[in-house]
Amino acid sequence: MHSVLASNVPPGRLEEKWDNYKSRVKLVNPANKRNHTVLIVGTGLAGASAAATLAELGYQVKSFCIQDSPRRAHSIAAQGGINAAKNYPNDGDTIWRLFYDTIKGGDYRSREANVYRLAQVSNEIIDQCVAQGVPFAREYGGLLDNRSFGGAQVSRTFYARGQTGQQLLLGAYQAMSRQAAAGNVKMFSRREMLDLVLVDGHARGIVTRNLVTGEIERYSGDAVLLCTGGYGNVYYLSTNAKNSNVTAAWRCHRRGAYFANPCFTQIHPTCIPVSGDYQSKLTLMSESLRNDGRVWVPKNPGDERAPNQIPEHDRDYFLERRYPAFGNLVPRDVASRNAKYACDEGRGVGDTHLAVYLDFQNSIERLGRQRIEERYGNLFEMYERITGEDPYQVPMRIYPAVHYTMGGLWVDYELMTTIPGLFVLGEANFSDHGANRLGASALMQGLADGYFIIPYTLGNYLAGSKMAGVDPSGDAFSEAETESRSRIDRLLSVQGNKTVTEYHRELGSIMWDDVGMSRNEDGLKSAMGRIASLREEYWQNVLVPGDATYHNKYLEFAGRVADFLELAELMARDGLHRTESCGGHFREEYQTPDGEAVRNDDLMAYVAAWEFSQEEHGPRMHAEYLEFENVRLTTRSYK
Amino acid sequence: MSDRMTIHLSVWRQAGPESSGAFENYTVNDVNEHMSFLEVLDVLNETLIRKGELPVEFDHDCREGICGACGVVINGVAHGPQKRTASCQLHMRQFKDGDTIVVEPWRADAFPIIRDLVVDRSAFDRIIEAGGYVSVSTGNAPDANAVLVPKDDVDRAFDYASCIGCGACVAACPNASASLFTASKIGHLALLPQGDPERSHRVVAMVDQMQKEGFGDCSNHAECEAVCPKGISISSIALMRREYMKSLVSSGG
Ligand SMILES: Cc1cc2nc3c(=O)[nH]c(=O)nc-3n(C[C@H](O)[C@H](O)[C@H](O)COP(=O)(O)OP(=O)(O)OC[C@H]3O[C@@H](n4cnc5c(N)ncnc54)[C@H](O)[C@@H]3O)c2cc1C
Ligand code: FES
């Protein structure tokens, strides 16, 4: 049997919970804030916004990232936009509707109170970003422009050309830089967190590796905020940046933080297809393209004509056909699975037949090339650079790719893990997107967590705990440092026959085949076995070049792949235990005759939070039962 | 399927900031036109590792031309031969079978070499810290539509704001000036009403910091604009100069 986890959602009506919480929360007195050091790992939207805001409030912030500058965190690559319930277009949007769409889009596997709070603060995010100078798209009259995104029938997405993540991150980075200049943020770039340090059961420090010199360093503080992003790179090929990883989160998991819903992975429908085995990553084509692009394949398998030669009556606009209400704007999981089916039926296009068309011809005719260029110019350019084809002339070829991980470290309403003093923000936590995330909601969540939520919940924690000083030369730090060192030494000393990349690719193909878009019991069981043997082999046969005393990228990757090899097995285990299809988790055993997902709300309306264990019985599952007091669980229908 | 190419690489290898470096020659077979330039380096590195040699260190992350992490000089041109394209987005269809490609790090006093093709660009962070922001703390913002911004202004501001901070402008400039980088941030914020109140302080603080970091002066070579992967115009540098002059005049300096 499993134990039951409490989410610490405050009492009261859904609409009042956050306001009530804020009114009652304990506060740290202003003069005292500067006596608290907060360690923030990660400088994406979540980490940078938290660092800036906490420093503005007077906390002493130490901020860490892998890249050479905080501005390069993976959030920089987000293209399409950020949601908010402003209702500027007057098309009927409300906080309730954004909340409802997010809960429904997540296939009823997220916590009502968190999602409602997210929708509530969404509007303030836009205000804040505009005030920072984020150049969101505007109408000719000078007002902000909006567009629509998958899973919604209103236009609530704010965007900055196809570079929304870049502009939002630069806003947060600049706010953080202002605090660095004021001496309230100390920035540690090119650092990788390798372990969490607990003192008396509380998160009180981290161990990092200086990626330039190889030195192992210790930092102590009163709380640790993990803002380290998602773990999509467990699949090797994904749309994530090459440095995205699970190491920080996994190390915390091993220290006692539960890992929730690890199998909930988002496969994004619109990516540039794989072209060969040297491929190092996949490039996303923003989902916003589905606003004006139409997805189709030839009606008949084996139709090898060039796309422009295929007449209308020989085309199958399969999303419009199957889902007339939402058409090309169905949520990501639905769009991805349908593309896979089309290819499984032999109707895939391009050299590999693992692609479908995304066609802009009608929109170009309707709106003119200039309007399309304004909306998507940089995406079209990027596509052409990679494929050598001009999407104004020929339809794009797209295929699904791993993109986002809804799973992550379990946190309660205050964003705190099962380790007191360890908070998790942004994609690294499991919280708001349930089994599937809607487009333009990750940026919203990262900034909500960092700008508007953690300042209250961290204060409540710090004001409520007696903090004795900790000494980074103490035993807990020494032990963590020794462990980190010995892992690095072990990796370097194997000197086997296969490179880190070879192992990573092999792991990725197991994950894509059996823990990917469509899963079944046999596949998941076999994946667990194969992952475990691959992991064993890794530690016997990996070949890591050089040593640990200088900038050694492959040594960094080696540590991350070692952690992916552990996480992967937990993902398969979680997928196996979840005997239903919901959101990004599609179990072949649980579908309707026409291939739609079948949820099991009676048995599975809970969050599965796994506790690390090296005992025989394996990881232990704790359930957080989800209570839906405000929405009625229905079968998602986009027909 | 596309034809396979053989590519010769001459790569700068340097063990550390104090070490002297040198070019090493390598050959990579089985390159095809769909590969990115960084993927060729990946393939080379796999071979080196299997042979027990040290792989070439280079910075990279997004591989989508947006994070600004990558950046090498390719055949004498920062980011290589394709206009408006970062090194990671450069694809091998730009080269032909048998080509020799010379690969070097950014070279500038203000960007010390860390190892091989990796350089230290933290000077850019310090230029932003000097004033590349709007002083608005979280929670102090008015409604986002309270201030109207003409579309043309925001579009121009955006053109400047799209800088990815890669440093190609510095690498390309004969004086190793960081003017395009600095001016693009000044231009972005000066063109928006939100950036207006601090504009005169900002330009002076950022320009001073740029000089302190050891970047050279701009003497209008326009090499920076030519290599900028985002195509940022040197009109920003003219704007920065005007802002600087105005600021000196208004402060009586
Ligand atoms: C191509 C692409 C396009 C997207 N487009 C959109 C979009 O249009 N709208 C939307 O809402 N969402 C989008 N997303 C999703 C969204 O970008 C991410 O979910 C979000 O940016 C994650 O932000 P974050 O702050 O949680 O983490 P990240 O931005 O991933 O930042 C992680 C940070 O943690 C640091 N870090 C990680 N591990 C360690 C460690 N061990 N030690 C030290 N530092 C560490 C990294 O250096 C980095 O600074 C997109 C994602 C991708 C891949
Ligand atoms: S790797 Fe990000 S810009 Fe090239």
Side-chain angles (χ1 to χ4, degrees):
Chain A
M1 254 332 280
H2 49 251
S3 75
V4 174
L5 266 175
S7 57
N8 299 323
V9 169
R13 288 178 45 227
L14 183 65
E15 294 83 349
E16 293 165 357
K17 285 177 191 293
W18 180 233
D19 286 338
N20 288 344
Y21 176 88
K22 287 195 290 184
S23 318
R24 308 225 167 103
V25 81
K26 290 196 272 295
L27 299 175
V28 179
N29 119 19
N32 231 344
K33 289 199 179 97
R34 82 176 82 90
N35 300 325
H36 287 292
T37 297
V38 184
L39 305 177
I40 304 185
V41 188
T43 60
L45 289 183
S49 59
T53 307
L54 295 174
E56 285 159 11
L57 290 171
Y59 294 105
Q60 292 297 313
V61 171
K62 291 190 175 143
S63 158
F64 302 82
C65 70
I66 289 176
Q67 294 80 3
D68 66 324
S69 164
R71 65 180 288 153
R72 304 199 206 286
H74 165 61
S75 294
I76 200 93
Q79 302 171 350
I82 176 168
N83 287 329
K86 283 283 195 187
N87 193 31
Y88 286 154
N90 197 27
D91 56 359
D93 202 9
T94 58
I95 287 171
W96 174 268
R97 203 179 278 278
L98 174 54
F99 154 74
Y100 181 79
D101 286 348
T102 309
I103 288 272
K104 175 185 172 199
D107 224 357
Y108 306 97
R109 291 296 173 265
S110 44
R111 201 185 279 151
E112 278 189 344
N114 281 56
V115 176
Y116 196 85
R117 174 177 67 184
L118 175 65
Q120 277 176 306
V121 304
S122 66
N123 292 339
E124 286 174 83
I125 296 173
I126 304 302
D127 298 342
Q128 186 62 32
C129 296
V130 166
Q132 290 169 344
V134 170
F136 283 122
R138 288 178 184 267
E139 311 270 8
Y140 281 99
L143 294 166
L144 291 159
D145 190 20
N146 286 120
R147 62 182 170 202
S148 53
F149 241 60
Q153 286 168 311
V154 293
S155 285
R156 61 160 73 101
T157 305
F158 293 80
Y159 65 102
R161 292 191 195 155
Q163 290 150 248
T164 315
Q166 179 198 28
Q167 294 308 316
L168 295 175
L169 183 60
L170 292 180
Y173 157 73
Q174 287 163 201
M176 184 178 157
S177 299
R178 171 176 164 239
Q179 292 305 311
N184 300 330
V185 171
K186 234 178 124 39
M187 190 54 233
F188 300 88
S189 297
R190 294 199 195 264
R191 295 298 198 294
E192 178 160 18
M193 170 178 166
L194 296 180
D195 210 348
L196 177 76
V197 182
L198 302 188
V199 177
D200 300 330
H202 290 244
R204 294 305 300 273
I206 61 173
V207 167
T208 63
R209 178 163 181 271
N210 179 324
L211 301 177
V212 174
T213 64
E215 275 161 279
I216 306 287
E217 306 163 330
R218 309 168 177 196
Y219 298 92
S220 65
D222 301 317
V224 176
L225 273 48
L226 218 62
C227 313
T228 47
Y231 51 85
N233 278 348
V234 66
Y235 290 84
Y236 185 64
L237 287 182
S238 84
T239 62
N240 289 9
K242 294 299 283 179
N243 283 308
S244 298
N245 71 94
V246 78
T247 288
W250 192 256
R251 298 282 118 200
C252 293
H253 175 56
R254 292 185 63 119
R255 293 273 174 206
Y258 295 174
F259 210 112
N261 297 337
C263 79
F264 287 166
T265 309
Q266 180 163 85
I267 314 262
H268 195 291
T270 53
C271 301
I272 299 181
V274 175
S275 69
D277 53 11
Y278 47 80
Q279 188 108 13
S280 59
K281 76 156 282 183
L282 294 172
T283 301
L284 174 80
M285 290 282 101
S286 166
E287 167 171 53
S288 60
L289 292 168
R290 286 198 277 144
N291 266 309
D292 291 305
R294 299 177 69 195
V295 176
W296 64 276
V297 290
K299 219 172 236 165
N300 304 310
D303 188 339
E304 299 283 345
R305 285 176 288 180
N308 298 341
Q309 305 292 314
I310 301 181
E312 280 298 313
H313 62 262
D314 280 341
R315 299 176 175 196
D316 178 15
Y317 295 89
F318 54 90
L319 292 178
E320 296 171 24
R321 174 171 57 80
R322 289 191 66 175
Y323 307 97
F326 280 68
N328 294 296
L329 291 178
V330 291
R332 293 175 173 174
D333 54 324
V334 180
S336 293
R337 231 169 11 252
N338 279 280
K340 178 182 187 299
Y341 295 151
C343 295
D344 290 350
E345 291 157 11
R347 301 192 293 149
V349 302
D351 281 349
T352 59
H353 298 281
L354 284 176
V356 301
Y357 290 125
L358 179 64
D359 196 335
F360 293 88
Q361 209 47 49
N362 288 350
S363 297
I364 293 174
E365 280 159 21
R366 188 164 40 96
L367 302 165
R369 180 178 162 131
Q370 194 194 339
R371 194 90 180 107
I372 294 296
E373 207 170 308
E374 274 171 21
R375 285 187 191 166
Y376 312 111
N378 67 318
L379 297 173
F380 277 39
E381 254 180 66
M382 179 150 86
Y383 182 85
E384 183 168 2
R385 226 172 271 133
I386 294 175
T387 62
E389 288 174 4
D390 174 7
Y392 293 102
Q393 306 297 332
V394 206
M396 286 185 178
R397 282 172 296 110
I398 55 165
Y399 199 64
V402 172
H403 177 58
Y404 183 88
T405 49
M406 282 74 68
L409 292 180
W410 183 87
V411 290
D412 65 7
Y413 187 73
E414 298 190 292
L415 304 181
M416 190 153 82
T417 62
T418 43
I419 299 176
L422 175 66
F423 295 80
V424 187
L425 285 65
E427 189 174 343
N429 73 25
F430 87 103
S431 65
D432 298 348
H433 308 292
N436 174 55
R437 174 177 70 78
L438 291 183
S441 287
L443 302 183
M444 169 172 73
Q445 183 223 332
L447 291 180
D449 289 359
Y451 283 136
F452 295 107
I453 296 167
I454 196 69
Y456 290 94
T457 63
L458 177 71
N460 191 42
Y461 168 74
L462 292 174
S465 0
K466 281 262 162 300
M467 288 282 163
V470 292
D471 178 2
S473 60
D475 288 350
F477 282 87
S478 303
E479 182 228 339
E481 176 175 336
T482 309
E483 266 183 47
S484 298
R485 273 186 199 288
S486 76
R487 260 169 69 81
I488 292 171
D489 292 344
R490 268 179 69 203
L491 283 168
L492 285 166
S493 67
V494 178
Q495 289 299 312
N497 294 313
K498 252 159 79 176
T499 64
V500 174
T501 313
E502 286 174 282
Y503 279 106
H504 198 174
R505 266 208 205 99
E506 233 171 278
L507 174 65
S509 85
I510 299 176
M511 295 301 286
W512 179 250
D513 291 342
D514 286 322
V515 197
M517 248 186 293
S518 168
R519 307 155 176 193
N520 61 52
E521 183 175 338
D522 288 347
L524 289 162
K525 281 187 174 151
S526 127
M528 283 176 69
R530 280 176 294 147
I531 295 163
S533 6
L534 192 67
R535 186 170 62 234
E536 211 159 291
E537 187 197 315
Y538 186 78
W539 286 98
Q540 306 298 326
N541 193 34
V542 71
L543 173 58
V544 183
D547 66 45
T549 58
Y550 55 81
H551 191 281
N552 184 348
K553 200 76 211 166
Y554 287 85
L555 175 60
E556 293 171 31
F557 285 141
R560 295 176 199 157
V561 171
D563 289 329
F564 280 140
L565 283 161
E566 296 186 15
L567 164 78
E569 191 178 338
L570 187 67
M571 291 171 71
R573 182 186 298 270
D574 184 47
L576 184 64
H577 118 282
R578 193 164 280 279
T579 48
E580 64 169 347
S581 292
C582 64
H585 174 63
F586 189 80
R587 278 285 297 265
E588 289 158 10
E589 301 92 325
Y590 308 96
Q591 57 178 314
T592 61
D594 63 345
E596 300 298 331
V598 175
R599 274 195 338 255
N600 184 343
D601 293 332
D602 291 337
L603 287 179
M604 309 240 66
Y606 63 78
V607 175
W610 298 89
E611 179 185 354
F612 182 78
S613 160
Q614 276 172 312
E615 311 279 308
E616 186 90 48
H617 58 72
R620 184 147 169 263
M621 204 271 281
H622 303 262
E624 178 199 333
Y625 287 96
L626 296 166
E627 284 158 41
F628 293 93
E629 295 168 347
N630 299 278
V631 299
R632 211 163 46 83
L633 276 62
T634 55
T635 301
R636 276 191 322 167
S637 170
Y638 294 94
K639 297 225 172 200
Chain B
M1 265 329 274
S2 53
D3 293 338
R4 298 280 159 173
M5 301 188 266
T6 295
I7 296 289
H8 307 287
L9 294 167
S10 184
V11 184
W12 185 260
R13 306 297 309 258
Q14 181 172 336
E18 309 303 330
S19 331
S20 59
F23 285 103
E24 294 276 347
N25 298 321
Y26 306 101
T27 294
V28 184
N29 299 308
D30 277 351
V31 171
N32 84 43
E33 59 160 339
H34 296 297
M35 291 170 88
S36 71
F37 179 72
L38 297 190
E39 283 168 348
V40 174
L41 292 183
D42 291 341
V43 171
L44 168 65
N45 278 346
E46 288 295 299
T47 321
L48 292 176
I49 294 170
R50 277 194 221 98
K51 284 201 294 198
E53 293 175 31
L54 293 181
V56 178
E57 297 292 323
F58 60 97
D59 264 326
H60 61 97
D61 199 15
C62 72
R63 298 204 174 194
E64 290 190 6
I66 191 72
C67 75
C70 69
V72 286
V73 176
I74 298 171
N75 288 340
V77 181
H79 287 309
Q82 194 177 9
K83 285 266 172 270
R84 302 192 53 162
T85 303
S87 305
C88 60
Q89 288 283 286
L90 181 65
H91 280 68
M92 295 310 288
R93 64 181 68 88
Q94 302 294 325
F95 299 94
K96 38 181 215 311
D97 189 29
D99 275 359
T100 296
I101 306 177
V102 181
V103 192
E104 296 167 83
W106 291 166
R107 293 190 194 274
D109 289 345
F111 286 168
I113 292 182
I114 291 175
R115 192 178 176 89
D116 295 340
L117 307 173
V118 178
V119 301
D120 178 353
R121 289 170 288 198
S122 54
F124 274 9
D125 286 329
R126 292 186 292 272
I127 293 175
I128 298 296
E129 280 169 26
Y133 46 75
V134 174
S135 297
V136 52
S137 296
T138 305
N140 289 341
D143 183 85
N145 259 345
V147 180
L148 300 183
V149 186
K151 185 172 183 314
D152 288 345
D153 288 356
V154 92
D155 286 349
R156 274 175 63 216
F158 196 106
D159 289 341
Y160 296 145
S162 63
C163 169
I164 60 174
C166 62
C169 46
V170 175
C173 176
N175 310 337
S177 168
S179 287
L180 192 64
F181 169 79
T182 309
S184 64
K185 186 47 63 190
I186 286 166
H188 160 209
L189 295 175
L191 289 170
L192 294 175
Q194 289 81 6
D196 189 57
E198 294 169 284
R199 65 197 283 179
S200 72
H201 167 258
R202 175 181 308 119
V203 66
V204 174
M206 289 180 74
V207 169
D208 287 355
Q209 187 65 33
M210 171 175 85
Q211 282 159 355
K212 249 190 258 165
E213 296 290 347
F215 294 104
D217 288 330
C218 169
S219 41
N220 299 323
H221 290 272
E223 298 287 345
C224 52
E225 181 183 86
V227 299
C228 176
K230 295 293 141 182
I232 294 174
S233 155
I234 50 167
S235 64
S236 58
I237 299 180
L239 187 149
M240 172 169 79
R241 289 199 176 116
R242 283 198 304 276
E243 291 283 310
Y244 195 85
M245 293 314 293
K246 265 201 297 203
S247 166
L248 293 188
V249 171
S250 66
S251 66

